[in-house]
């Protein structure tokens, strides 16, 4: 329970030199530092003016807001010089809040606040006080107006009006760009931060009340990470029969950045076998797709080795000093042997024979070779769907071609037929 506010009220009195004054003035009152003169008309005597010296002048009382005591809060006391303590003077209170907020003891002049006040709702009350003769019910002095001010206590915390707040900050921002306990915040480590901000009011009787709000901070990505290959060597196996332009393998470098900051460009470093291959970036997966530029031949060369470089497509000049923003890996390609058919020494053979040549005469030979490792024997066959299916024969082992019937130039001057060579 709060102690009494010993505040005083001075009322000007116009009757036989009577004076309504406050008792026990306290430091909370507004006091004048110099004497003040007032001219008072005294009724009942011949009209004249009398000058009265006053040592101080009241104009307001004070009362604490949010008073929680069990008894009404004491505000101050009114007293008239004409009140001799005989119960002949009645004190009255009117005006703002009289009877509902403030009451006065009609006999003693004590003023009390009968309910808790809130300065934020109403900071002051304007009232009027008067001393009245109980018997005659006539005023002993004219009404005097005064103010009761509600004293503020720190009962309201600071408030953030528009929270929660959202902010975006580029990752790796220097300390000072945003005041934070996490310098050099890295989006790849944590994308979002939630910060509780407290505003504290250190004034008032109740100490520091605090208001809080939440700020959601989302880090925006910057290109601060170079691409990195997860391993230094990639092994690929490619059939020698792969067509030109086909994709023969994929490799991938990893960039922890996002969006365009994670876009990677791949290039083959000039070297062994690099001229046989090309590499492009798959825009969807950011993988390096290796393609064949020239045909492969297992019998000619069985392996190729070259280096591939991965670099950021969009560089950020702010992080050049942290470079280089690229990485290199080795690609080793093993060419796989494919079971290829025998190859004829030439694609077209031309032979001449005289008509009426005896049956069984050898007119020429074809040659085919198995180019695969560990070459196999070759067998020859005439494709019986051709024109010469009955006029000629071929030795399956030697590839020699002989007549099978007598030939008549006037009947047929030219024969075309196909020979098939296959591995045994």
């Amino acid at each position: 329970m709060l102690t009494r506010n010993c505040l005083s009220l001075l009322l000007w009195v116009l009757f036989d030199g009577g004076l309504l004054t406050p008792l026990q003035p306290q430091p909370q009152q507004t006091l004048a530092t110099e004497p003040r003169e007032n001219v008072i008309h005294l009724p009942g005597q011949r009209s004249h003016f009398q000058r009265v010296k006053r040592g101080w002048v009241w104009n307001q009382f004070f009362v604490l807001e949010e008073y929680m005591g069990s008894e009404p809060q004491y505000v101050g006391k009114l007293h008239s010089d004409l009140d001799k303590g005989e119960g002949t003077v009645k004190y009255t209170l009117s005006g703002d809040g009289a009877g509902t907020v403030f009451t006065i003891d009609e006999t003693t002049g004590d003023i009390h606040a009968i309910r808790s006040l809130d300065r934020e709702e109403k900071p002051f009350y304007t009232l009027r006080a008067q001393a009245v003769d109980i018997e005659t019910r006539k005023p002993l002095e004219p009404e005097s107006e005064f103010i009761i001010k509600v004293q503020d206590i720190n009962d309201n915390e600071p408030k953030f009006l528009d929270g929660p707040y959202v902010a975006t900050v580029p990752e790796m921002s220097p300390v000072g760009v945003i005041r934070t306990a996490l310098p050099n915040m890295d989006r790849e480590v944590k994308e979002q931060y939630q910060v509780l901000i407290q505003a504290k009011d250190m004034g008032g009787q109740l100490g520091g009340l605090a208001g809080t709000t939440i700020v959601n901070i989302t880090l925006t990505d910057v290109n601060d990470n170079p691409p990195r290959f997860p391993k230094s060597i990639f092994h690929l196996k490619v059939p020698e029969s792969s067509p030109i332009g086909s994709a023969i393998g994929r490799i991938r470098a990893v960039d922890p950045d996002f969006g365009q900051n994670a876009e990677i460009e791949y290039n083959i470093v000039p070297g062994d076998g690099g001229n046989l291959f090309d590499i492009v970036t798959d825009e969807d997966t950011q993988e390096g797709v290796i393609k064949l530029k020239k045909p492969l031949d297992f019998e000619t060369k069985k392996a190729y080795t070259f280096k591939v470089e991965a670099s950021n497509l969009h560089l950020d000049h702010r992080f050049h000093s942290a470079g280089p923003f690229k990485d290199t890996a080795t690609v080793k390609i093993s060419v796989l042997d494919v079971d290829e058919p025998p190859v004829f020494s030439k694609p077209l053979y031309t032979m001449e024979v005289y008509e009426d040549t005896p049956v069984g005469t050898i007119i020429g030979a074809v040659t085919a070779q198995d180019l695969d490792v560990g070459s196999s024997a070759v067998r020859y066959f005439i494709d019986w769907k051709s024109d010469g299916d009955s006029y000629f024969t071929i030795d399956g082992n030697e590839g020699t071609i002989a007549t099978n019937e007598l030939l008549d130039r006037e009947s047929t001057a030219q024969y075309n037929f196909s020979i098939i060579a296959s591995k045994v």
Side-chain angles (χ1 to χ4, degrees):
M1 179 174 177
L2 298 177
T3 59
R4 284 187 172 184
N5 280 2
C6 298
L7 305 173
S8 301
L9 175 63
L10 177 64
L11 300 178
W12 305 119
V13 179
L14 186 63
F15 181 71
D16 289 337
L19 183 62
L20 182 64
T21 60
L23 295 183
Q24 301 174 344
Q26 298 298 318
Q28 291 93 328
Q29 292 173 302
T30 302
L31 302 180
T33 58
E34 297 181 1
R36 176 176 174 179
E37 292 185 352
N38 222 6
V39 178
I40 299 176
H41 178 67
L42 300 178
Q45 301 180 8
R46 186 176 56 176
S47 296
H48 68 282
F49 292 96
Q50 179 177 334
R51 190 177 300 273
V52 179
K53 294 286 186 178
R54 305 285 172 81
W56 55 271
V57 178
W58 68 271
N59 63 3
Q60 58 191 6
F61 282 167
F62 295 91
V63 61
L64 285 176
E65 68 169 339
E66 305 295 348
Y67 174 74
M68 302 299 292
S70 59
E71 300 292 334
Q73 183 180 183
Y74 180 76
V75 178
K77 186 179 185 68
L78 301 179
H79 184 72
S80 172
D81 287 348
L82 298 177
D83 187 355
K84 306 302 182 182
E86 298 173 352
T88 59
V89 177
K90 175 183 177 181
Y91 297 96
T92 64
L93 194 65
S94 61
D96 196 6
T100 57
V101 179
F102 303 100
T103 61
I104 187 170
D105 188 306
E106 296 180 349
T107 303
T108 64
D110 291 332
I111 301 175
H112 289 82
I114 58 175
R115 67 177 179 86
S116 178
L117 305 178
D118 188 346
R119 185 181 182 278
E120 283 67 38
E121 292 182 1
K122 189 174 180 63
F124 65 89
Y125 295 81
T126 302
L127 296 102
R128 295 179 298 279
Q130 192 170 48
V132 179
D133 188 302
I134 291 180
E135 294 182 358
T136 65
R137 297 187 179 182
K138 292 182 178 181
L140 298 176
E141 56 188 50
E143 280 188 334
S144 293
E145 188 176 271
F146 65 98
I147 294 174
I148 296 179
K149 285 190 174 181
V150 181
Q151 282 189 308
D152 186 36
I153 64 172
N154 195 359
D155 60 336
N156 291 288
E157 72 276 5
K159 292 187 181 297
F160 292 93
L161 300 181
D162 301 317
Y165 298 86
V166 176
T168 57
V169 181
E171 63 172 340
M172 307 306 292
S173 296
V175 175
V177 172
I178 177 172
R179 295 294 181 184
T180 175
L182 301 172
N184 295 330
M185 294 181 292
D186 191 340
R187 187 184 188 275
E188 286 69 51
V189 176
K190 189 173 183 179
E191 180 180 354
Q192 287 189 330
Y193 294 83
Q194 192 172 79
V195 180
L196 180 66
I197 295 180
Q198 184 179 78
K200 196 168 187 180
D201 184 353
M202 299 305 297
Q205 294 89 338
L206 299 184
L209 296 178
T212 60
T213 190
I214 292 175
V215 178
N216 293 313
I217 299 177
T218 300
L219 300 186
T220 56
D221 187 54
V222 296
N223 194 355
D224 60 330
N225 293 288
R228 289 286 181 259
F229 285 107
K231 54 186 179 181
S232 59
I233 299 177
F234 291 85
H235 293 274
L236 300 176
K237 295 182 179 180
V238 184
E240 63 176 337
S241 59
S242 299
I244 295 174
S246 63
I248 61 174
R250 290 171 175 258
I251 63 175
R252 184 181 180 184
V254 178
D255 190 328
D257 291 321
F258 296 86
Q260 72 171 16
N261 293 326
E263 293 181 2
I264 300 174
E265 181 180 36
Y266 297 90
N267 290 286
I268 293 178
V269 179
D272 179 30
N275 60 336
L276 268 72
F277 306 94
D278 193 11
I279 188 168
V280 295
T281 302
D282 186 323
E283 295 183 357
D284 295 328
T285 64
Q286 293 302 307
E287 293 176 305
V289 181
I290 300 175
K291 294 187 175 183
L292 191 61
K293 289 173 60 178
K294 296 180 180 180
L296 299 175
D297 186 358
F298 175 82
E299 286 71 34
T300 303
K301 190 169 184 176
K302 298 177 178 62
Y304 297 88
T305 300
F306 54 89
K307 292 184 180 297
V308 172
E309 182 181 86
S311 59
N312 280 127
L313 190 58
H314 306 281
L315 295 178
D316 193 324
H317 68 278
R318 294 174 296 175
F319 301 101
H320 281 179
S321 60
F325 282 81
K326 59 185 179 181
D327 195 19
T328 303
T330 299
V331 177
K332 292 187 175 183
I333 294 180
S334 298
V335 181
L336 301 178
D337 186 25
V338 175
D339 191 12
E340 298 172 303
V343 178
F344 285 98
S345 59
K346 53 185 179 181
L348 178 66
Y349 291 85
T350 301
M351 300 176 184
E352 293 182 353
V353 59
Y354 289 103
E355 63 178 344
D356 297 328
T357 296
V359 174
T361 303
I362 295 175
I363 61 174
V366 296
T367 303
Q369 184 180 1
D370 180 13
L371 300 180
D372 290 331
V373 175
S375 58
S376 303
V378 177
R379 296 281 295 176
Y380 300 94
F381 305 91
I382 292 178
D383 184 359
W384 297 116
K385 295 179 181 179
S386 60
D387 295 340
D389 55 0
S390 60
Y391 290 96
F392 303 93
T393 61
I394 188 169
D395 187 300
N397 295 322
E398 300 297 330
T400 56
I401 299 173
T403 59
N404 194 38
E405 295 181 14
L406 290 176
L407 304 177
D408 183 0
R409 186 180 185 280
E410 286 69 27
S411 175
T412 304
Q414 181 175 314
Y415 294 89
N416 295 306
F417 55 93
S418 299
I419 305 298
I420 298 173
S422 65
K423 293 181 181 182
V424 177

